[in-house]
Amino acid sequence: MNAIPVTAPAPLPQPLAAASAAGRTLVMGIVNVTPDSFSDGGRWDTTELAVAHGRQLLAQGADILDIGGESTRPGADRVTPQEEQGRVLPVIRALADAGAVVCVDTLHAATAAAAIDAGACMVNDVSGGLADADMHRLVAERNVVYVCQHWRGNPETMDTLTDYGEAGVVAGVETELRQRLAELDAAGVRREQIVLDPGLGFAKTPSQSWTLLAATRRLMADLGHPVLIGASRKRFLASATVPEAAADPLARDAATTATTALAAAAGAWAVRVHEVPSNRDAVHTASLWKEHR
């Protein structure tokens, strides 16, 4: 195992409590410091561009910034933790210094540790700890919020791993997330640190992603944890757009906003989005609808 810097646990940060205080679903803005992300690769792949974009998302109403340096789209090239850290750490440091609540989007425990040292207070791990056996121990030691996503295979194989048997995708995802929760508990991660993500689009057909989105409230009730919904610009939204625009991720922003409203109405803890203003408005609209229901 790679050696991981260990420091004394800090008090649990506030992102989980913030949703309750705000009385609404939180908006997590995406900052991809990568050349190959599926919808905006290369647009923010320098420190200066990424920091400027993060500041813009904050000004537009993002509650959290999710900063990643490795694309996990199907077929994406892998990068080393060292290369990943070179991309994200200066951005995390600058935005945390500016007062942002920063989440690092990484599969690698070493990158997560370095990001926490740079000011991140959350770790978003799309593998749920399956990609790096050190991740759960790190999260326990550093006492940060951990987004544990449902994951099968890897970016090269996940599109072939969509068979969830007769029980169906919701039951299958819940079963596998319960396995991750047991592993987190064994590593000493506290329940109040954990957010779950059903992994829309990851080892899911478009129909399965829609089914999981519709089950947001059930997932929270069955698993007993806050849920993050990450639908933004994903391929399954193509079925909700006009056919001539279906192949363009940017043309899925209106459908993304609709999924945000649905997730917020169902009580999701947060939505992870590329474009903040319309999704911020969708969250507030859902809050007003629930208030006057």
Side-chain angles (χ1 to χ4, degrees):
M1 294 185 181
N2 296 327
I4 297 174
V6 176
T7 62
L12 188 66
Q14 297 305 310
L16 290 175
S20 177
R24 58 169 173 79
T25 296
L26 299 180
V27 177
M28 176 184 282
I30 299 168
V31 181
N32 287 321
V33 196
T34 59
D36 59 346
S37 292
F38 76 96
S39 74
D40 60 1
R43 294 190 66 186
W44 329 111
D45 64 350
T46 70
T47 298
E48 293 75 15
L49 289 172
V51 171
H53 184 53
R55 288 180 178 272
Q56 180 185 40
L57 295 180
L58 288 174
Q60 292 171 339
D63 300 291
I64 303 165
L65 296 180
D66 190 52
I67 301 171
E70 179 179 14
S71 175
T72 51
R73 63 174 174 78
D77 294 333
R78 303 274 59 82
V79 301
T80 65
Q82 293 74 25
E83 183 178 2
E84 179 185 40
Q85 291 168 36
R87 293 174 178 178
V88 302
L89 294 183
V91 179
I92 290 170
R93 193 171 292 110
L95 291 171
D97 287 348
V101 176
V102 174
C103 177
V104 61
D105 183 350
T106 184
L107 304 169
H108 306 291
T111 297
I116 295 165
D117 289 339
C121 62
M122 298 177 60
V123 176
N124 181 13
D125 177 3
V126 301
S127 81
L130 293 175
D132 189 332
D134 287 335
M135 183 66 87
H136 291 173
R137 179 173 61 85
L138 169 72
V139 171
E141 290 170 346
R142 303 301 289 272
N143 201 35
V144 292
V145 174
Y146 181 61
V147 179
C148 177
Q149 185 187 285
H150 177 264
W151 164 275
R152 280 183 170 187
N154 55 50
E156 289 74 35
T157 63
M158 63 184 179
D159 281 349
T160 68
L161 302 174
T162 60
D163 184 358
Y164 291 86
E166 293 184 4
V169 67
V170 177
V173 166
E174 288 187 345
T175 295
E176 292 175 27
L177 283 176
R178 286 190 180 98
Q179 294 171 355
R180 303 289 83 73
L181 289 170
E183 293 159 4
L184 286 161
D185 182 65
V189 179
R190 296 187 293 143
R191 288 185 58 84
E192 56 265 35
Q193 292 176 248
I194 302 169
V195 174
L196 299 177
D197 180 342
L200 304 182
F202 285 78
K204 318 291 188 306
T205 66
S207 177
Q208 289 168 340
S209 290
W210 284 112
T211 297
L212 280 168
L213 178 65
T216 299
R217 190 181 299 276
R218 172 182 164 181
L219 292 169
M220 292 186 296
D222 288 354
L223 296 172
H225 285 273
V227 167
L228 169 71
I229 294 295
S232 187
R233 296 179 179 172
K234 288 185 175 176
R235 289 177 297 169
F236 81 95
L237 297 179
S239 59
T241 67
V242 293
E244 56 269 26
D248 180 8
L250 296 178
R252 303 169 195 159
D253 278 342
T256 297
T257 302
T259 64
T260 289
L262 293 168
W269 169 72
V271 289
R272 181 179 180 273
V273 298
H274 295 85
E275 194 271 337
V276 166
S278 64
N279 288 285
R280 174 204 60 205
D281 290 350
V283 161
H284 285 284
T285 299
S287 295
L288 289 167
W289 176 80
K290 289 194 291 184
E291 179 183 338
H292 292 88
R293 189 167 44 178

